[in-house]
Amino acid sequence: MDFDIISIIMGSSLLAQVVLGVLVTMSVLSWAMMLQKWFALGSALRKAENGLKRFEEARDLRDAVQTLGADPASPLYYVAHQGVVEFNRSKDAGNDSPIIVDNVRRSLRQGVASELSRLQSSLSLLATTANTAPFIGLFGTVWGIMTSFHSIGMQKSASLATVAPGISEALIATAMGLAVAIPATVGYNIFLGRLAQAETRLENFAGSFLTRVQRELNAQRPVTRYGATDM
């Protein structure tokens, strides 16, 4: 007989079809998320690199902040916004320079953490898929083998022709589970690496922003308050 996987699936038990349906759904969702995350992280890394370069080339803090306002989709925008808001708030409160720097440092750290949390969204789906898909497939395999042994008992025959269809049906679930889990695992590890790159660039930007704040305060000259329109 020719090996026809579609015929085997259509002729399998209801539970086996449910297991395969769950695995197919997980596969579609994980692939869709990986494609979306690939483009999103790629865009975020490019925008962060370009934004950091423009920020460091700006003449002063005001010009540097305005360069980021031209691209609100950049991951640097939110971090800079947090720093600017705290800088203005501390200046209005009449705080001394060390207090202003410390407050801005905390705000930048919170901005970096929030932006990383946004970039990490949906990765839990990949982790869940990578960890659970093999076991879901194994469950379908075990159930199929149990069904095969039940057929042996009912037919009182242990010939290969009796058990082979049930065993092949069972092993399809294992193969499907691995086919779902392996890409999810590879994608998850790749995205962790890209997130580490994003974290490095965000932290470098926060350090550059704080350096400019300290430079402005140490210049001993009036510092212009930056309004929301500057962002």
Side-chain angles (χ1 to χ4, degrees):
M1 295 179 60
D2 295 332
F3 181 76
D4 187 350
I5 188 171
I6 301 299
S7 299
I8 294 175
I9 293 174
M10 295 303 295
S12 61
S13 64
L14 176 61
L15 182 60
Q17 292 179 355
V18 170
V19 168
L20 293 175
V22 170
L23 290 174
V24 169
T25 301
M26 294 174 68
S27 179
V28 171
L29 291 177
S30 62
W31 274 106
M33 198 281 291
M34 284 190 287
L35 290 174
Q36 184 273 332
K37 189 62 68 176
W38 177 266
F39 290 110
L41 285 178
S43 175
L45 288 172
R46 288 191 300 272
K47 289 177 180 293
E49 182 178 3
N50 295 333
L52 180 58
K53 185 181 300 183
R54 293 195 304 269
F55 186 87
E56 292 178 341
E57 293 174 352
R59 183 181 60 226
D60 53 27
L61 182 60
R62 182 184 184 86
D63 290 342
V65 167
Q66 287 179 335
T67 62
L68 296 176
D71 188 9
S74 170
L76 304 185
Y77 178 84
Y78 179 76
V79 178
H81 178 74
Q82 294 295 101
V84 167
V85 169
E86 185 55 42
F87 179 80
N88 291 333
R89 185 183 296 120
S90 296
K91 289 291 294 182
D92 290 344
N95 293 324
D96 295 333
S97 294
I99 296 178
I100 294 175
V101 171
D102 190 53
N103 290 343
V104 172
R105 179 184 292 109
R106 285 198 298 269
S107 294
L108 291 172
R109 188 181 300 119
Q110 292 173 359
V112 170
S114 297
E115 194 62 23
L116 284 175
S117 178
R118 183 185 69 82
L119 293 175
Q120 291 172 355
S121 63
S122 303
L123 280 187
S124 59
L125 172 64
L126 281 185
T128 301
T129 300
N131 291 328
T132 60
F135 295 102
I136 295 175
L138 182 61
F139 172 76
T141 298
V142 172
W143 186 267
I145 292 175
M146 290 171 55
T147 303
S148 297
F149 280 115
H150 179 72
S151 298
I152 292 173
M154 294 295 294
Q155 298 179 18
K156 295 182 172 53
S157 173
S159 65
L160 184 61
T162 302
V163 300
I167 298 298
S168 62
E169 171 190 325
L171 293 179
I172 287 175
T174 297
M176 187 63 184
L178 293 176
V180 174
I182 291 174
T185 302
V186 173
Y188 181 77
N189 290 329
I190 290 175
F191 292 136
L192 283 184
R194 304 198 67 161
L195 282 170
Q197 295 177 9
E199 182 178 9
T200 299
R201 293 180 185 179
L202 289 173
E203 289 179 349
N204 289 341
F205 170 74
S208 180
F209 189 100
L210 192 62
T211 298
R212 281 192 175 271
V213 169
Q214 292 173 321
R215 192 181 303 158
E216 293 270 342
L217 295 174
N218 292 336
Q220 296 298 322
R221 61 181 176 82
V223 181
T224 303
R225 188 185 191 280
Y226 308 125
T229 56
D230 294 335
M231 288 298 293

